[in-house]
Structure formats: C-alpha cells, structure tokens
Amino acid sequence: MDSPGGAGAGSGRKKDKPRDLTDIVFSWSVQEIFNSNLYRDKVGSIPESFQSVEQYLASYIFPLLEETRASLCSTMQNVSRRPFAEVTGFAEDKKNAYHVQVDHWRNRSTDHGKEPYKTLPGDVLMLTNAEPDTIPSLERFKGRWAFASVAEIVEDADGDAQTSTRFKVKAFLDNEVKDDPTWQKMYAVFVTNIVTNNRMWNVLHRFRKLKIEKGVLCMDSAAGINCNLCITQSHGSGEESLDKNLFGSLNKSQKKAILACLDTIKCQHRSAVEMIQGPPGTGKTKTVAALLFTLLKRKHRTLVCAPTNVAVKELASRVVQLVKQSVCTNSHGESLLYNLGDMLCFGNNERMKVDSDMEEIFLDHRIDCVKWCFSVATGWQHCLPSLIDTLNDCVGQYHIFLENERMENERIENERMITSKPNGNKSKPEFKSFLKFFKHRFKSSSEPLRRCLSILCTHISKSFLLEHNFQDIKSLLILLDSLEDSLCREKLDSRKLEEAFSTDPSSLKTLADPLYTALSMKRHECLSVLQTLNTSLRRLNFATFKSKSKIAEFCYQGASLIFCTAASSYKLYSMETKMEPVSLLVIDEAAQLKECESMIPLQLRGVRHAILVGDECQLPAMVESKLSSKAGFGRSLFERLGSLGHPRHLLNIQYRMHPAISLFPTSTFYQNQIRNGPNVTSKSYGK
C-alpha cells in the first residue's frame, strides 16, 4: 500500500505505523491543499465486494484523505467568512502543545440562522499574524500562518467550559514564531472540524477481524441465505410475545420486517445483515421504534446509530415515549414509575438539542442525577434514615423542639432583664402545634427522598436495582402520597394526632377516632417499607458511584439499548474492556451514511448482527471531492448491499402524501410497489 502522507511522507511498508490524520493534514502546504490532483493517481474505484477485511479497509484510505483535503480546500477558499478571534494569551505547555486564550469569537458568515461558533475538540484552527482575509492576501502581505488542532476546552474561573475562549491546541510551530516581532498580534481562525474523519482514519487502520465479516464484505453468496440450523424455527412465532397494542398498530409489511429481524438476531451460528427499506411516509421510524422497544424488553444488548444528532434524537425520543406509554397509569389515574436505566444516549448536548423528552436517557444528565442521589450529604443514604427518624420518633422530637424553644425564650427574657429593656408583650409565647411541626418535618424529609427514589427507579437499570426494590419504592411513594394527602385534606386535631402517633401499634384499637387510627396505620406502613428498603439498598454494591467517570462506566454497563451517532460510537472503543459488548447494531438513515463511517460501529467488539434501515432513493451522504465521489466514497453500505441483490424488507404503505402526489415517486423510484394508506385516500385528506 502506498504511503498516505503528502510530500516527504514515510515509506509505504505495511509494518510502518500509520501517521495520524492530523499530522498528515498539518504537513500539507497551501499548494498541496489547493491541488485537486494531489491524490489523483492513488484514489481508485472502491469495489462492490471484497476478499478480505484488509482490502476492504484499504480501499477507503486515499478517498478519505482526498475528501479531507477537498473539505479543507473549500473552507480555506472562504477563509474571510470563517469565525475568528484575537489571541490574548499563548503559552507553550509541552512539545507541540500550547495553551491558548482568545478575546471572543466573531462570526463573519453571512449565512443567516447560524448559531454562534463555539470551540470544540477536533477543530482545526489557523493561527496567523494578520487579520484573516484570503489566503492569497496573507501570502502577498507576508502574513504567516500555521495549523493548530484543538485538543481540550479549558474551564474558566467559574467552572464554565461553554465560553470556548480558553483551550489547549496541538501545533507544529518553529522557534521563529516566539522571536518574530510580526507575531506580536496573533489571530485564530476556525477552519473545519476533522473529528469524524480522524475516527474513520483510525478505524481503517485497525484491521480487526469482524464477526460480521461475510455479511458486510459479500465475499460469497452466504450473506443472503438463512441459517440451516435455524430454518426449522417457526417463522413469526415470536408475534405472541410482542406488545399487543403496539404490534396491533402496525401494517403487514411493518410486522413482517420486525419479525424477520427478530428471527435473524436469534441465530448464534452465523452473522447476518438485515435491511429495511422505508420510502417517505411509510412509517419507518415507527417500525424501528417498535423493534427497539421489543429488544429493550428482551434486554438484547443493542447499539443504535444514525448519521446525525437529529436522527438519533428522533428515534430515541420515540422509544422513550413507548416506554412511558407502556406504563400508563394505575386504576386511580396516577402516573406510575417507569424505568429508563436500560436506555442510554450520549453525544454533544448542544448539537443534539437535548430537551425534556430526551434528557432522562442522556448520559450527562444521568451522571448529574445519579451523583446527587448518591451524595452522602443529599442522597438516599441521608434521606432514608432522616425520614425513618422523623416517622419513628416524631412525638419525642416535638417535645425536644418545645424544650429548646422554652430554653431559648428564657434566654431572651434573661437578656432583657439584664439590659433593663422593657418587655412590651408579656403574653405566653406561641409554640408550633404538633400538627404544624410534623407537617414541616415530614415535608422537608420526604421531598428530597422522593427525588432520590425517582432517580433510582428512572436511571438505575432494574437488573442492578432488583425488581423487589423497584416494587418497594413504588409502594413507598404511594404510601407517602396517601399520608401527605391525609395530613393536608383532613381537618385534624393536633392533640389527637400527637396521641395517635405516640401510641404503640398493638394498642391502635384503643383509639376512639378511626381517622387517627388510619393515620397511625399509614405511618407504621411507611416506616416498615422504609426500613426494609434501607436494609435492602445497603446490600447493593454502590462503590462505583464515587466519581463521575465511575458513574459513566456504570451507565454504559447497565444499558442494553445505547443511542449515538455513528461517529460518536468511536467512544465505545475505550469502554470495551469495561462493559459487556453489544451484539446487535441498528443503523437508522443508513442510506445517508458513508460506508466508511459505518465501519466505526461495525468494528466494535461483539457486533454479530446488523440491521440497516433507510432508502437509497432519498438523499445520499454529501461528498466534497469530485474525485472521491467518482470513486464511490459517498456510497452507503445500504446502497452497496442493495446493488448486489441483498434481500430487503420494503415498507409498502405510505401514509403521508395525497395519491396525486405519491403517483410520481411510486412509479419512478419504487416500481409501483408502494400503496396509499386509508388516511390519504379518504375524502377529508386535502393536504
């Protein structure tokens, strides 16, 4: 294989360690970046099938380099429109690493609606000694520049990393920069972000043996053949175990696609790729969400990817809704607890625009919630004993409170006598009644506990929390609500309540008033469940909740359904030794994802089966380089397998377009295989 570097790159021997993509980019001169023929002799047409994983991965290396060059070329041609800032601090940290501080980012782009630029790791910046105009002008006026790659965002004094004005960079600067007077003023210009390309580059050099090798490489015709050992299983036999309400809302083609995928992933004898083609309006997201909900209930360890944050959010939100709908409400119309600990989504919070529908499964939010819940000062280990103490000895605590109040009043009165200050009000001081005292103590103890218990049930996987603890928490919350409701709604006599709460449970029948008997019973029921729960939870191993990194590891370990973009799945490589591997990969909008990028999740350890969902008749992935595009770099795995005749499940009823509109795409792109749903053929459908 030829060396992928620019001029002066190392030899092409296979034993040579591949150069980092950032290093190669930084080695390019301006002339090389603008040279559209730089890799013309090395970018070959990407085959449709491959004989080995090594051949497969090598086919994408030079098209990726050429695409990186073309993307960089495109942004540098418009450097005058890129966000820039004046550098106010620049200090060397270690070799080729620097601390940078800028004043503020100026967004010069004329594109309306764009969000203000914020520095992110992986951003490629251009450091220059002249306010950026154009590359030719920089050269003409003796402007000097160098590339820098953002390695880390540094928090400000208030602990805020969102300002993006302080960061660490990797850069190759010569010693003249420090002494050259023309560098007294320095500017940083945002050029592009190459994180995704860098991850693809790293994956292409892994040469890891794939479990799903035959299905992806299409080395033989085995990819589309059913497993002979599993063929005797009754097809569709799993329908009875599916959620009846959910499955009943699907049409025949949607059901068939889901059942076929479920049958395939049962097989442990071979690896396979299933394909679902979802033309516009055919319920693709609904179908995939139903499939994922079923996998979630079966605890089947699955990674769900998509090309964009928007697509990930849409699908994840839909599955969360299904989980909540499956819980519904109890016979009293009260919303019940739902557990989302088996679902996890991670990525860039701002880019994904995480909202209330999503945050309960978002990693950063989950870490914050769990950290609070397990804090010694605020967590359940503090709240549970506190409420137990309140309910167990509320009368004794009240009398201690009264005694303290009496002593405090005596102290105040003595001070007045010593200072000869007249006491204008000689009436007896008013103490809180037992009712007011208990209501206050109960509320201050129960509210933080409710939050803790809600976090435990929502964010901790049931497999760790255990079913009996989950049920005890549900029972406890209902009891607490009932007790609080009685305290607030009923007209209670403070003395009678004090008497009821100071009476031994065995003597409850001696109380004349059934209202106070019922309150006393509720109190003792709460106490019983609290004490059982306190003992049971302390038996669990909570040692992993002492730091954010340990909590993150726990979240990955506990989740059976993980959502992220295909590029972000690269982060899971660092978790491979710390969590059970995922065995199934589901890629939504698969026809919009470059095959090269789909290799990031496909190479994860343990992936045995893949389900690709998309439609190659819609928009493909965008490619900047004409050379790479011609080589097939923008082609998706979905499109390539489809062109080789890989079987697919077509969703064949569309519910979006009026028949007059659907006629053209149906006949032109889908060989008249798409039928119109009953909603669009009705007279009332006039969209």
Side-chain angles (χ1 to χ4, degrees):
M1 183 176 69
D2 291 327
S3 169
S11 70
R13 290 178 301 161
K14 290 181 181 178
K15 290 183 180 179
D16 287 351
K17 185 178 179 181
R19 299 177 65 192
D20 183 86
L21 181 62
T22 305
D23 294 345
I24 294 173
V25 169
F26 285 12
S27 74
W28 288 334
S29 64
V30 174
Q31 292 75 21
E32 286 174 320
I33 293 171
F34 284 86
N35 180 8
S36 59
N37 294 318
L38 184 64
Y39 293 107
R40 180 170 293 278
D41 297 334
K42 295 176 180 177
V43 175
S45 182
I46 300 170
E48 286 198 328
S49 61
F50 308 86
Q51 295 306 309
S52 68
V53 174
E54 187 171 357
Q55 181 209 0
Y56 178 51
L57 300 178
S59 300
Y60 289 94
I61 289 177
F62 283 106
L64 174 60
L65 274 174
E66 164 56 20
E67 174 63 11
T68 305
R69 183 210 61 79
S71 177
L72 194 59
C73 174
S74 175
T75 54
M76 289 185 72
Q77 284 173 337
N78 297 302
V79 69
S80 61
R81 298 177 61 200
R82 308 303 293 172
F84 81 101
E86 185 174 341
V87 176
T88 56
F90 191 83
E92 190 168 5
D93 180 24
K94 50 188 178 183
K95 187 178 180 182
N96 300 326
Y98 302 86
H99 288 276
V100 180
Q101 183 164 352
V102 298
D103 53 359
H104 65 277
W105 289 102
R106 300 156 180 84
N107 274 32
R108 300 190 297 172
S109 174
T110 56
D111 297 335
H112 297 291
K114 279 198 171 183
E115 294 182 3
Y117 167 71
K118 289 185 178 180
T119 321
L120 290 172
D123 282 353
V124 173
L125 307 178
M126 186 173 72
L127 301 177
T128 173
N129 64 349
E131 189 168 320
D133 183 7
T134 63
I135 295 298
S137 69
L138 285 174
E139 293 179 324
R140 186 163 56 252
F141 294 111
K142 306 296 183 186
R144 298 187 60 191
W145 64 272
F147 280 137
S149 175
V150 178
E152 180 186 345
I153 310 300
V154 180
E155 293 180 350
D156 60 19
D158 299 323
D160 183 14
Q162 301 302 314
T163 55
S164 73
T165 56
R166 299 176 66 221
F167 43 89
K168 294 179 183 178
V169 301
K170 174 184 177 182
F172 299 104
L173 304 176
D174 53 43
N175 292 326
E176 295 178 12
V177 171
K178 303 171 186 176
D179 306 320
D180 193 334
T182 63
W183 279 91
Q184 287 179 354
K185 258 200 172 185
M186 186 187 294
Y187 298 89
V189 188
F190 167 65
V191 181
T192 188
N193 185 290
I194 61 168
V195 163
T196 298
N197 285 17
N198 214 1
R199 288 170 177 173
M200 287 192 280
W201 174 265
N202 292 339
V203 166
L204 291 178
H205 289 87
R206 277 182 176 270
F207 294 105
R208 175 184 280 186
K209 185 169 178 61
L210 302 174
K211 282 193 174 183
I212 199 165
E213 187 174 302
K214 286 188 177 181
V216 171
L217 272 58
C218 300
M219 291 185 291
D220 51 42
S221 58
I225 300 174
N226 291 321
C227 173
N228 291 327
L229 294 172
C230 295
I231 199 71
T232 55
Q233 292 180 353
S234 56
H235 192 74
S237 60
E239 185 170 344
E240 294 77 10
S241 64
L242 300 177
D243 185 281
K244 290 182 180 179
N245 291 331
L246 179 59
F247 211 65
S249 67
L250 302 175
N251 64 43
K252 190 176 180 180
S253 66
Q254 293 168 339
K255 291 177 186 177
K256 185 179 178 182
I258 291 174
L259 290 172
C261 291
L262 293 175
D263 278 347
T264 295
I265 63 179
K266 285 178 188 174
C267 176
Q268 298 300 313
H269 312 107
R270 61 183 287 276
S271 298
V273 178
E274 286 285 344
M275 295 171 63
I276 299 175
Q277 184 179 8
T282 55
K284 176 181 64 66
T285 304
K286 180 180 181 180
T287 304
V288 182
L291 171 65
L292 296 177
F293 179 69
T294 305
L295 293 169
L296 179 66
K297 289 174 71 176
R298 297 182 180 185
K299 306 285 186 187
H300 194 99
R301 203 152 173 77
T302 305
L303 173 64
V304 186
C305 293
T308 65
N309 286 298
V310 173
V312 171
K313 180 184 174 183
E314 168 66 22
L315 191 52
S317 298
R318 191 74 68 94
V319 181
V320 169
Q321 287 173 12
L322 290 177
V323 172
K324 292 181 178 180
Q325 288 167 11
S326 69
V327 176
C328 297
T329 55
N330 61 16
S331 57
H332 303 291
E334 299 165 324
S335 180
L336 299 177
L337 287 173
Y338 48 84
N339 183 266
L340 295 171
D342 290 318
M343 290 180 66
L344 182 69
C345 179
F346 67 92
N348 185 290
N349 191 331
E350 290 189 14
R351 288 183 175 180
M352 200 169 283
K353 300 187 186 301
V354 175
D355 52 23
S356 57
D357 293 334
M358 267 280 293
E359 69 176 4
E360 288 174 315
I361 66 167
F362 194 69
L363 178 62
D364 295 348
H365 176 74
R366 178 163 291 172
I367 289 171
D368 291 339
C369 287
V370 172
K371 191 172 187 296
W372 182 88
C373 182
F374 286 88
S375 164
V376 175
T378 61
W380 70 269
Q381 295 174 83
H382 164 76
C383 297
L384 257 174
S386 175
L387 187 55
I388 289 172
D389 191 42
T390 296
L391 292 176
N392 193 42
D393 189 32
C394 47
V395 175
Q397 289 175 6
Y398 176 60
H399 287 291
I400 292 171
F401 166 78
L402 289 178
E403 180 63 19
N404 290 338
E405 286 282 286
R406 185 188 65 76
M407 291 174 66
E408 178 63 15
N409 277 292
E410 283 185 359
R411 185 188 64 78
I412 293 171
E413 185 63 29
N414 290 335
E415 284 182 359
R416 282 175 179 166
M417 292 176 66
I418 293 170
T419 57
S420 300
K421 288 183 179 180
N423 186 359
N425 183 14
K426 294 185 179 181
S427 61
K428 187 178 178 180
E430 290 186 11
F431 296 125
K432 282 184 178 179
S433 67
F434 174 74
L435 178 60
K436 287 183 179 179
F437 172 83
F438 179 72
K439 277 184 178 180
H440 172 74
R441 283 291 176 94
F442 178 76
K443 187 174 182 180
S444 60
S445 299
S446 63
E447 282 188 352
L449 178 61
R450 278 192 180 96
R451 184 185 171 192
C452 280
L453 296 179
S454 178
I455 288 171
L456 282 171
C457 287
T458 304
H459 294 288
I460 305 298
S461 171
K462 270 192 189 181
S463 58
F464 182 84
L465 184 60
L466 304 180
E467 182 65 32
H468 68 88
N469 287 327
F470 187 82
Q471 295 303 325
D472 282 346
I473 290 172
K474 285 171 67 175
S475 300
L476 177 61
L477 291 176
I478 292 170
L479 284 168
L480 292 176
D481 286 342
S482 177
L483 180 57
E484 184 174 28
D485 188 59
S486 298
L487 289 170
C488 295
R489 289 196 176 190
E490 303 289 348
K491 290 185 177 180
L492 300 173
D493 182 277
S494 184
R495 290 187 180 277
K496 286 184 178 181
L497 185 67
E498 183 180 349
E499 181 187 353
F501 281 7
S502 60
T503 304
D504 188 85
S506 59
S507 307
L508 282 174
K509 292 181 181 178
T510 62
L511 294 174
D513 196 323
L515 172 61
Y516 297 95
T517 302
L519 281 170
S520 186
M521 288 287 289
K522 285 179 183 178
R523 167 177 161 256
H524 283 289
E525 283 182 60
C526 286
L527 259 175
S528 176
V529 179
L530 280 165
Q531 288 164 343
T532 300
L533 201 54
N534 191 37
T535 303
S536 183
L537 290 179
R538 289 181 188 278
R539 291 197 190 107
L540 300 178
N541 179 21
F542 289 125
T544 54
F545 298 94
K546 291 184 178 178
S547 67
K548 282 194 170 185
S549 61
K550 289 294 183 183
I551 295 171
E553 283 182 24
F554 173 81
C555 292
Y556 283 115
Q557 290 165 0
S560 60
L561 197 57
I562 302 175
F563 294 85
C564 63
T565 61
S568 295
S569 68
Y570 187 82
K571 295 177 183 178
L572 294 177
Y573 285 101
S574 62
M575 297 297 300
E576 285 186 326
T577 59
K578 300 171 185 176
M579 71 177 200
E580 183 186 341
V582 294
S583 60
L584 173 65
L585 170 65
V586 177
I587 302 181
D588 191 26
E589 304 290 1
Q592 295 181 22
L593 186 69
K594 299 181 186 79
E595 182 162 3
C596 184
E597 193 170 344
S598 69
M599 284 307 302
I600 299 174
L602 276 168
Q603 279 212 62
L604 284 166
R605 180 173 61 88
V607 173
R608 177 178 290 277
H609 300 292
I611 299 172
L612 309 179
V613 187
D615 181 21
E616 74 270 31
C617 297
Q618 297 178 52
L619 288 174
M622 191 178 74
V623 178
E624 292 265 6
S625 167
K626 292 181 180 179
L627 189 60
S628 293
S629 179
K630 187 178 178 181
F633 183 69
R635 184 180 62 196
S636 65
L637 175 60
F638 189 97
E639 183 183 352
R640 180 171 67 82
L641 294 181
S643 68
L644 291 171
H646 193 290
R648 64 181 74 190
H649 306 283
L650 176 68
L651 306 182
N652 60 11
I653 301 179
Q654 72 86 17
Y655 302 93
R656 183 182 299 166
M657 293 174 275
H658 189 280
I661 299 173
S662 67
L663 182 63
F664 169 73
T666 298
S667 60
T668 307
F669 301 110
Y670 304 105
Q671 294 77 49
N672 292 312
Q673 295 180 80
I674 310 299
R675 293 183 287 127
N676 296 308
N679 64 318
V680 299
T681 55
S682 65
K683 291 182 179 179
S684 61
Y685 196 82
K687 288 185 181 179

